[in-house]
Amino acid sequence: DGGIITGDNTGATADANEIVPPPGMPPEPCYTAWCDGDPDVQTSIWYTFVAPANGAVNITTCLEGTSLDTQIAVWETTDCADYGSYTYFGANDDMPDPCTLGNQYASTLDVDGLIPGNTYYLQVDSYDGTTGVIEIEITTGVPTSLVNFMHNSGDAMLATVDIRVNGELVADDLAFQTCTGYISIPADVDAYVTVNPSTSVDDSAPIF
């Protein structure tokens, strides 16, 4: 929450044996790691930040001054000289939607479950070793929980249903004996879940 900071990776290199995030999950590995076409560190610069009271942060390079395609990752360690001691918390190469402020391939990452007051390390690299100006902003985020909904009602009238959390559609036409997979929802507010007809446009007439 300290505002935008400006960095420049011109002249930056990779440290010997510098760590990289693990491969991302399909179908969009660039959203959860660094793109498969460029998984190595080339021009990294590092920053630290202190976790806020709710343990959640949003980190972005999608800012007007960012001139290059960034790759970011968050780590924790008690010995910054020992890469074997680093614990990985998350990474992003490309935002799900192209950045409209700076470079379209800028990065955004939400991380929670951090220990309030602890120091964490932000690794900032560039795709294909490009160099230039990078703007970064780290703000307090929203803690999330992962939930997985399974449709297990044998009622023939409910062959498919819509699931809404706090009114927001999270599962459209969920079929009998199928599940949504893990869905991220806010964890620091009360949540209500409604099971709705598959034709629902809101949660005003829930089945349950």
Side-chain angles (χ1 to χ4, degrees), residues 2 8 23 34 55-56 82-83 88 93 102-103 133 135 138 152 161 176 205:
D8 190 326
W34 293 355
D82 178 12
Y83 288 122
Y88 170 72
D93 194 319
N103 189 289
V133 174
E135 287 190 337
I138 304 177
N152 206 32
V161 296
F176 176 56

Side-chain angles (χ1 to χ4, degrees), residues 70-125:
T70 56
Q71 302 170 313
I72 60 176
V74 171
W75 307 85
E76 185 179 31
T77 182
T78 56
D79 181 1
C80 64
D82 178 12
Y83 288 122
S85 70
Y86 280 56
T87 299
Y88 170 72
F89 278 86
N92 175 257
D93 194 319
D94 298 334
M95 300 170 55
D97 296 314
C99 175
T100 59
L101 294 175
N103 189 289
Q104 66 173 325
Y105 298 111
S107 310
T108 292
L109 178 63
D110 289 300
V111 183
D112 63 12
L114 306 178
I115 298 175
N118 277 20
T119 296
Y120 293 85
Y121 291 75
L122 174 64
Q123 181 185 30
V124 182
D125 194 43

Side-chain angles (χ1 to χ4, degrees), residues 1-199:
D1 298 320
I4 297 170
I5 61 172
T6 301
D8 190 326
N9 70 341
T10 301
T13 59
D15 198 6
N17 302 314
E18 187 168 333
I19 48 176
V20 296
M25 300 297 292
E28 297 293 348
C30 296
Y31 298 169
T32 57
W34 293 355
C35 294
D36 290 343
D38 185 39
D40 299 322
V41 182
Q42 294 166 314
T43 55
S44 68
I45 50 180
W46 287 77
Y47 298 87
T48 60
F49 65 90
V50 175
N54 70 358
V57 295
N58 172 263
I59 305 167
T60 186
T61 63
C62 180
L63 299 161
E64 290 183 359
T66 297
S67 63
L68 62 153
D69 180 350
T70 56
Q71 302 170 313
I72 60 176
V74 171
W75 307 85
E76 185 179 31
T77 182
T78 56
D79 181 1
C80 64
D82 178 12
Y83 288 122
S85 70
Y86 280 56
T87 299
Y88 170 72
F89 278 86
N92 175 257
D93 194 319
D94 298 334
M95 300 170 55
D97 296 314
C99 175
T100 59
L101 294 175
N103 189 289
Q104 66 173 325
Y105 298 111
S107 310
T108 292
L109 178 63
D110 289 300
V111 183
D112 63 12
L114 306 178
I115 298 175
N118 277 20
T119 296
Y120 293 85
Y121 291 75
L122 174 64
Q123 181 185 30
V124 182
D125 194 43
S126 64
Y127 184 82
D128 203 27
T130 55
T131 59
V133 174
I134 303 166
E135 287 190 337
I136 304 165
E137 187 173 35
I138 304 177
T139 54
T140 299
V142 177
T144 57
S145 290
L146 294 177
V147 295
N148 187 359
F149 297 102
M150 181 175 182
H151 181 352
N152 206 32
S153 170
D155 188 334
M157 298 295 291
L158 303 176
T160 59
V161 296
D162 291 347
I163 307 293
R164 294 177 180 272
V165 177
N166 296 335
E168 180 181 351
L169 183 67
V170 297
D172 188 24
D173 297 337
L174 185 65
F176 176 56
Q177 289 194 336
T178 62
C179 62
T180 59
Y182 285 107
I183 297 170
S184 180
I185 65 170
D188 62 346
V189 295
D190 291 337
Y192 65 92
V193 178
T194 56
V195 179
N196 310 270
S198 61
T199 56

